[in-house]
Amino acid sequence: MMRLVRAGRRGFTGDAAVLADDDHRAQVTEYLADLVRPFGAGPVTDLSGQSYGEMAKALVAEVVPATEPVDLLVLAFSIHDVWPGRATATYLSHVCPGTPMSFAICDQGSASPFTGLRVIGDYGVRRALLVVVEQAALPYRSAAATPLAHRGVAMLYEEGAGTRVTGVRQYPDVEPGAVPEVARLGVAELSAGRPGTRVVLSDSLAAAWPDRPDHTRAPAGQPTTGVWWHLAGAREGAVLVGDYDRELRYLCFAVVAAAPSCVDGQDRSAGA
């Protein structure tokens, strides 16, 4: 089983550096306008936001030393960034020590990072990096939950060292009314035999599970990185994170044991 050996988190301000290129800005504006026109989402104006390639590159530099090459890199996100035509996971393989095999997981909402952990656990590699990112700008009308801030979390996992990922559970097609019962069973199963496990729920899951025990509730506004941001700031002991995507009806849980030596609890911010 893969084990967590290092984690980092970072906030980003301003726009991506790539948006300083007028040609790129014009091309992406035209591209997005073509995509949203059939849906009546309005004109695409005032293009702003972040590039997941730029965000993740900074996180990789913080979390992965040159002496610890990575075999597998998984990028998890929900909404698109300001470089929608870029093969970002491939680019990150180029800048990450080890030139790892890489995957991008999207179109699963807040379930994407949990799927990333399953891929890492099942792939049988020595060292893997999970990067979870979200940027806070869409230049057109959308019903999607747009984050309040640009944020990213990177978690480095290694086979046979450090602390362990002890379980991932994903439940598809869970209607809101069924969330409390399924959530109780999932938390009980993953925390069994692990006294002192802290449970951290996303704002969405906490809202759908009003009679939950006294669990920590991640702040609202970061639908993809919320619980992972909390995990990256944890100091020690087992942390069980849970999330619920009301739109896609995915209910997910994971248990990760965090040690002081492998978690970076600092809240860094970086301008573009």
Side-chain angles (χ1 to χ4, degrees):
M1 180 66 76
M2 302 297 288
R3 303 162 185 260
L4 178 66
V5 294
R6 192 172 300 107
R9 60 185 186 177
R10 188 165 184 169
F12 298 80
T13 58
D15 287 341
V18 69
L19 288 182
D21 185 307
D22 291 338
D23 288 340
H24 176 86
R25 182 186 292 270
Q27 290 168 4
V28 173
T29 299
E30 181 179 4
Y31 173 78
L32 294 177
D34 286 344
L35 287 182
V36 304
R37 187 174 295 113
F39 303 97
V44 175
T45 59
D46 191 26
L47 183 64
S48 63
Q50 276 290 330
S51 156
Y52 293 148
E54 293 179 21
M55 294 169 68
K57 180 180 179 181
L59 288 163
V60 169
E62 289 180 7
V63 174
V64 186
T67 55
E68 298 180 16
V70 172
D71 303 303
L72 173 66
L73 184 151
V74 180
L75 176 71
F77 63 95
S78 182
I79 66 172
H80 65 77
D81 68 357
V82 298
W83 201 336
R86 187 185 212 181
T88 304
T90 302
Y91 164 74
L92 294 177
S93 174
H94 172 70
V95 301
C96 183
T99 316
M101 176 171 49
S102 60
F103 294 95
I105 298 177
C106 59
D107 294 332
Q108 295 187 12
S110 63
S112 296
F114 295 89
T115 301
L117 279 183
R118 286 179 54 199
V119 170
I120 287 172
D122 292 344
Y123 226 86
V125 296
R126 180 187 57 178
R127 192 175 290 119
L129 183 70
L130 174 62
V131 181
V132 185
V133 286
E134 58 186 346
Q135 64 97 13
L138 285 177
Y140 51 83
R141 294 192 303 272
S142 173
T146 306
L148 294 178
H150 312 304
R151 284 188 172 182
V153 178
M155 292 162 279
L156 182 65
Y157 293 90
E158 188 172 290
E159 185 178 36
T163 52
R164 188 173 58 177
V165 178
T166 52
V168 180
R169 299 289 184 274
Q170 291 183 282
Y171 306 93
D173 198 23
V174 180
E175 61 181 350
V179 167
E181 181 61 24
V182 179
R184 275 192 292 270
L185 292 174
V187 169
E189 179 183 0
L190 287 177
S191 60
R194 305 182 183 96
T197 298
R198 288 167 292 161
V199 179
V200 180
L201 308 180
S202 71
D203 178 70
S204 175
L205 177 52
W209 188 10
D211 60 340
R212 68 194 184 282
D214 186 20
H215 300 330
T216 299
R217 181 171 183 163
Q222 303 297 147
T224 306
T225 63
V227 293
W228 306 101
W229 184 271
H230 188 282
L231 175 63
R235 288 299 179 184
E236 59 183 325
V239 180
L240 190 158
V241 295
D243 212 332
Y244 178 60
D245 192 305
R246 180 177 289 270
E247 184 71 20
L248 300 178
R249 304 205 299 186
Y250 286 123
L251 177 61
C252 303
F253 296 97
V255 171
V256 178
S261 61
C262 68
V263 176
D264 177 6
Q266 297 186 43
D267 181 354
R268 294 185 175 90
S269 294

